[in-house]
Amino acid sequence: MPTPERTLQDVVDLLHGWYPPATAEDWDAVGLVLGDPSARVGKVMFAVDPTEAVAAEAAAWGADLLVVHHPLFLKPVHGVAATTPKGRTLATLARAGCALLTAHTNADQAAGGVSEAMAHALGLSDLAPILPTPATPLDKLTVFVPADAAQVVRATLAEAGAGRIGDYDHASFSTPGHGRFRPQPGAHPAIGEVGVPEVVEEERVEVVLERRLRSRVVAAMLRAHPYEEPAYDVLELADPGLASGGTGRIGTVPRTTLGEFADTVAAALPRTAHGVRVAGDPDRPVRRVALCGGAGDFLLDTVAGTDADVYVTSDLRHHPAAEFTERGGPALVDVAHWAAEWTWLPVVEGRLKEAWGDTVGTKVSTTCTDPWTFRPSEQNNEPRSPR
């Protein structure tokens, strides 16, 4: 059989299925940045940053698509002339016919995303998000319907969008019972007479619906219901917190010490001038590890309330880190931002290979885009007193 040709749109759809753009933060800029969706894609390269050097690497390799983690245009721009680094990056890709796709915070939180890839690289198991992704807000509508009208009402609820659970629709639950009421003067009952108590065989119909559909579903139910004044209630369902995706990850490692674990971290991540910095007693026992790919000091207070022995992240600032360690909570391991997020690249490359085999060539960029390039030769890891 001939090898199927993949289009840019095919790749975009595949990656967006794994890392849905709708899950990105509101301030983020993700998705297709450059390229014709109908263009053929035979080679895909993966990198953390869309720098000039990475664009040149992609062009030299003949990539049809460059997939990056960090956005090229996170802030608004008024032009992309090649007089700026970003403009030159875009010009290099455009000349080479290489498209650009960004998966940032949508890839951070997803199952199989950045934090999860980093957790596996560091040997964590039994993973769970530090902050699970909130589930879609749901309601449950319960309505009491005469038995002979229940099917019509159920169908109407389904048409309005209720009763959708995962890959199923028209989902509902019904139980038989007896409705009792007495119409008062001014009523126009569909069943019974004014002033006379009535007992009707009814069904209790229950459906789940997305909260955003509440008004539409209730209005549709009221139009379809034969009663002048239907009895119903709407309950907001609690989020059970079972999402596999979310911010950061927490998990377990074989029992070790902070010093030994720090060595594991250093060995697992690409080497950078930044290296690995540790705050804590090297002999401290370590079993539970929390981590967040990229800048993670916004999670410090949350991590302090977990059972983690150590928190691994990047870009920790002096005051937040100092105040955190003073509280006697988990130890801290600070790693290079680029190195932490680089662990995702082989993972997403592997997923693409698994999905499409050899129909698309893949490559992980070998360009280190960490901004720190060296340390003075006399510098070592031991702190010393100021002169």
Side-chain angles (χ1 to χ4, degrees):
M1 292 182 61
T3 301
E5 288 195 350
R6 307 293 183 177
T7 66
L8 177 57
Q9 189 63 59
D10 292 334
V11 187
V12 170
D13 291 344
L14 185 66
L15 267 67
H16 282 178
W18 297 334
Y19 315 110
T23 63
E25 300 289 346
D26 293 341
W27 50 263
D28 205 0
V30 303
L32 186 62
V33 180
L34 172 69
D36 179 355
S38 65
R40 177 187 173 277
V41 171
K43 300 173 79 174
V44 181
M45 193 173 88
F46 300 91
V48 175
D49 297 293
T51 64
E52 292 181 65
V54 169
E57 181 188 2
W61 183 61
D64 302 301
L65 171 63
L66 173 62
V67 177
V68 294
H69 183 51
H70 291 145
L72 179 63
F73 300 115
L74 189 55
K75 296 180 180 179
V77 297
H78 299 288
V80 289
T83 54
T84 66
K86 292 182 183 296
R88 288 191 290 274
T89 294
L90 204 65
T92 299
L93 294 173
R95 282 195 301 268
C98 181
L100 179 64
L101 175 69
T102 299
H104 191 209
T105 53
N106 51 322
D108 282 330
Q109 302 190 50
V114 175
S115 286
E116 189 167 299
M118 181 181 171
H120 287 305
L122 301 187
L124 275 66
S125 59
D126 303 321
L127 296 179
I130 297 174
L131 290 176
T133 301
T136 301
L138 297 176
D139 289 345
K140 184 173 75 170
L141 169 66
T142 301
V143 59
F144 301 87
V145 191
D148 59 2
Q151 182 55 38
V152 172
V153 171
R154 282 193 293 266
T156 299
L157 291 171
E159 290 170 4
R164 293 177 182 168
I165 303 175
D167 294 329
Y168 297 82
D169 63 10
H170 286 71
S172 66
F173 184 78
S174 299
T175 50
H178 294 89
R180 291 174 171 80
F181 53 86
R182 184 174 67 177
Q184 296 295 298
H188 299 86
I191 298 175
E193 300 178 6
V194 172
V196 178
E198 188 69 48
V199 179
V200 180
E201 288 188 6
E202 294 184 344
E203 288 190 19
R204 174 190 175 109
V205 177
E206 299 178 76
V207 290
V208 173
L209 59 136
E210 293 186 19
R211 193 162 300 153
R212 64 183 179 84
L213 301 176
R214 179 188 293 174
S215 296
R216 185 172 84 184
V217 169
V218 170
M221 178 272 294
L222 293 175
R223 288 193 298 269
H225 204 291
Y227 284 174
E228 187 178 27
E229 299 286 350
Y232 70 94
D233 55 63
V234 178
L235 300 178
E236 295 187 354
L237 302 183
D239 184 348
L242 299 178
S244 59
T247 304
R249 292 295 185 272
I250 186 167
T252 304
V253 295
R255 194 169 300 280
T256 185
T257 65
L258 179 60
E260 292 169 344
F261 177 71
D263 289 339
T264 298
V265 173
L269 300 183
R271 186 179 298 275
T272 60
H274 176 288
V276 176
R277 302 186 299 178
V278 184
D281 180 353
D283 296 324
R284 173 180 180 150
V286 168
R287 178 71 169 158
R288 293 283 285 167
V289 177
L291 61 82
C292 179
D297 62 1
F298 69 99
L299 283 175
L300 285 171
D301 287 341
T302 303
V303 171
T306 70
D307 62 349
D309 302 305
V310 60
Y311 178 44
V312 187
T313 191
S314 306
D315 302 340
L316 289 173
R317 295 170 293 161
H318 173 85
H319 291 295
E323 292 169 2
F324 182 84
T325 56
E326 288 171 354
R327 289 153 61 181
L332 293 175
V333 175
D334 182 84
V335 301
H337 191 126
W338 170 82
E341 294 179 330
W342 182 93
T343 60
W344 172 65
L345 305 183
V347 172
V348 65
E349 180 196 32
R351 294 184 76 173
L352 187 58
K353 286 181 176 180
E354 183 179 357
W356 286 349
D358 296 331
T359 62
V360 173
T362 62
K363 177 184 179 182
V364 170
S365 170
T366 58
T367 302
C368 175
T369 53
D370 191 74
W372 309 109
T373 55
F374 72 94
R375 290 177 180 269
S377 57
E378 74 274 10
Q379 183 170 330
N380 58 44
N381 292 326
E382 294 298 324
R384 60 184 177 182
S385 299
R387 293 174 182 170

